[in-house]
Structures are given as C-alpha cells and as structure tokens.
Amino acid sequence: MSSSVEGPEGQIDDLNCNEYDTFVVVSSVLFVLYLSFKAKKNINSLCNGGSNIIISYYALLWIVTLLNLARSLLQAWQCTPGKEVPWNLLSLFTASGMLYLEISLMAFLLNDNYMNAMETLAHTSIVAGIIVFVDTLLKAIYVFGFGVPLFNRSVGTTHMIKWALWIVHKLLLAAAYGFILFVHFSKWKEKLPPRPTFYNYVFIMFIFSTIILFACGVAGIGVGFGNWLYDFTVLCYHSLYLPFLYVTFLADFFQEEDFFLDNAYYSEMKDAGFFDADWE
C-alpha cells in the first residue's frame, strides 16, 4: 500500500506503507491484556498502601498504553487521504505521553533532595511537564504549521527539516541518559538511588537513543538504510518500551499483597528517600 502527501513547498513525498505494523498491534494488545489481567490485584495493592508516586505512574502508564494501542491500530491513517490531521494528533499525544514517562523517570534519578513523596512528585511533575510541553508545542508548530511529516514513515524524498528535528530531539535524550551514566560511575554516585535495575534501564535507553540518533543522521543524508533503521527503532519503541518500563519500575511493587512491608525494592527506594510515611 502506498500513498502520497504534499509537503510545505509543494513537493510530493511518497509514503511507503507496508505491513510492518502487525507486530506493534500484537504487542500492544498483549500488553493491554496483561495489564487488564493484573489490574484487580494491582489496584488492591495500591489501595492498601500505595505511594502517590506509584499510583500516579500506574495511572499514567494505563493512559499512555491505551493511546499507544489506538495508534498501533490506526497506523493506516498516515497513508489515508483526509486522515493526516487525526493521525498527527494521535501520534503527537502518544509521543508526548511516552516522553513524559521518560523525562519524569530521569528527573527522579537526578533529584538528590527527597523531602517527601508529595514534594518529589510535584517537583518531577513540574520539570517533566515543562519539558514535554515545550517539546509538544514545537512539534505541533512544525507538523501543523509547516507541514513537516514528523510522524510519517518512509518519506521518499530527503526531508532535511524532519531529520534535523529528530536529530536534535534524540541527541538531547542520549545526552541525558549519558549524563546519568556518568554520574553513576563518578564520585557523585551516592546522590543517585541505590538500585542496579535503574542503571540497566538507563544503559539500555542510552544505547537505544544513540542508535536512533545514528539512524536519523544517516537518513538525513539520503541513505536508505537510515530510513529502514529508523522505522525499526520506532517499531521497537512502540512495541517494547512500555512493557520494559513496567517490568523495570512497577512490577516488583505488585508481586505480593504485603509488598509495602516486605519487598526489598521498596526498602531500597525508601532508604533513598523516594517515599514517605503514607506507605506505612
């Protein structure tokens, strides 16, 4: 299936729509089913003593997961005449939600002053919210104001503005993850939470962001491999990131009914100052 859209300068950009999105649909549906299967037990655990931080992240995870599911089911819109605006809106909201999760988690890792759970939640929400708002506003201006196809795969012609924007975006993310890794291996290591799983997450996201950055750079100079690699990383991101985040940061909290008393994960996080007495 192929179609075309008219760019801001009157040129026609060919969009090559293949069947790659099947894996994204299957993985998104399976993750929603998994969250649904665990929902009753997880909600009971949160009601019995959940931190405001974990409750907020769990709710946000559900919202972003449903947005991602809708995006995966409606990917044909990017190649359907008349559906460009709803596709871009859906993609923009989904990308903003996933970016908010990424930024807020990094803000938690870099916050070395945890007074209590509510203060930590408010601080990280403000920081992440400002960054994501600016990012979303800039993307919206370029997509809806200048017609840059940020969320359309396999643009046939070399669209320098699109790739330049993604290069800057991925460079900033890679730099943020790289900075956390630098701090982790420096003399300031004690300022970060003592949880090895966090740094496995950061390391994987740093490598992933670097690969996407490379793909955008190669695609920007007109190499077809760059387009393929970028499409593949987008597939992986929308298929695997949310389950990866759940397993890394939330799954341990829902392993047992008395997790808030006995779970080692909670103990380490509490020692780092993440949570206050509302867990007791």
Side-chain angles (χ1 to χ4, degrees):
M1 176 181 177
S2 64
S3 183
S4 62
V5 294
E6 187 171 352
E9 298 175 359
Q11 78 274 17
I12 299 297
D13 293 330
D14 294 328
L15 296 178
N16 182 20
C17 296
N18 50 42
E19 297 303 321
Y20 106 106
D21 32 39
T22 302
F23 179 71
V24 182
V25 173
V26 172
S27 62
S28 299
V29 170
L30 288 177
F31 186 54
V32 170
L33 292 176
Y34 176 80
L35 287 181
S36 300
F37 178 75
K38 295 285 188 178
K40 182 177 180 180
K41 179 181 178 181
N42 292 348
I43 292 174
N44 287 337
S45 296
L46 292 174
C47 292
N48 288 334
S51 162
N52 292 320
I53 295 174
I54 302 302
I55 292 173
S56 299
Y57 267 88
Y58 185 67
L60 183 59
L61 178 69
W62 260 107
I63 294 172
V64 177
T65 298
L66 293 176
L67 281 173
N68 191 57
L69 175 64
R71 182 189 180 278
S72 68
L73 293 173
L74 299 172
Q75 286 192 73
W77 279 7
Q78 64 184 306
C79 299
T80 304
K83 295 293 186 179
E84 294 87 356
V85 171
W87 167 253
N88 284 323
L89 282 172
L90 180 58
S91 297
L92 185 63
F93 285 127
T94 305
S96 298
M98 297 178 78
L99 181 63
Y100 183 89
L101 288 171
E102 284 196 66
I103 298 297
S104 56
L105 287 174
M106 284 191 284
F108 275 122
L109 291 175
L110 293 174
N111 190 347
D112 61 351
N113 183 25
Y114 303 101
M115 297 304 295
N116 55 62
M118 286 303 298
E119 183 174 331
T120 302
L121 178 62
H123 180 265
T124 54
S125 297
I126 291 172
V127 172
I130 291 174
I131 295 174
V132 173
F133 174 78
V134 172
D135 177 83
T136 303
L137 180 62
L138 290 175
K139 287 177 181 175
I141 291 173
Y142 278 97
V143 171
F144 299 108
F146 302 119
V148 179
L150 282 180
F151 303 112
N152 290 102
R153 302 196 333 267
S154 302
V155 177
T157 58
T158 302
H159 205 296
M160 292 302 298
I161 298 178
K162 169 184 175 176
W163 296 118
L165 288 171
W166 280 130
I167 287 171
V168 173
H169 187 271
K170 304 307 177 185
L171 179 62
L172 292 174
L173 279 177
Y177 286 119
F179 178 74
I180 295 176
L181 289 177
F182 168 77
V183 173
H184 176 59
F185 291 106
S186 71
K187 63 181 180 181
W188 301 286
K189 178 180 179 179
E190 66 277 1
K191 292 183 177 293
L192 297 176
R195 185 66 184 176
T197 309
F198 289 1
Y199 307 108
N200 295 333
Y201 165 86
V202 171
F203 177 75
I204 291 173
M205 293 305 298
F206 172 73
I207 297 298
F208 185 72
S209 298
T210 303
I211 293 173
I212 301 180
L213 178 61
F214 171 76
C216 292
V218 173
I221 61 176
V223 179
F225 172 74
N227 265 300
W228 177 87
L229 182 59
Y230 176 77
D231 288 346
F232 181 71
T233 57
V234 171
L235 180 152
C236 293
Y237 185 69
H238 285 280
S239 301
L240 304 175
Y241 176 69
L242 294 174
F244 177 48
L245 182 147
Y246 177 84
V247 169
T248 303
F249 290 94
L250 294 176
D252 282 352
F253 286 100
F254 303 127
Q255 285 181 352
E256 301 177 1
E257 290 185 2
D258 57 346
F259 71 98
F260 54 92
L261 294 176
D262 300 325
N263 196 283
Y265 187 111
Y266 163 72
S267 299
E268 292 181 17
M269 291 290 289
K270 184 178 180 182
D271 291 340
F274 272 82
F275 312 118
D276 62 5
D278 66 356
W279 277 70
E280 301 296 340

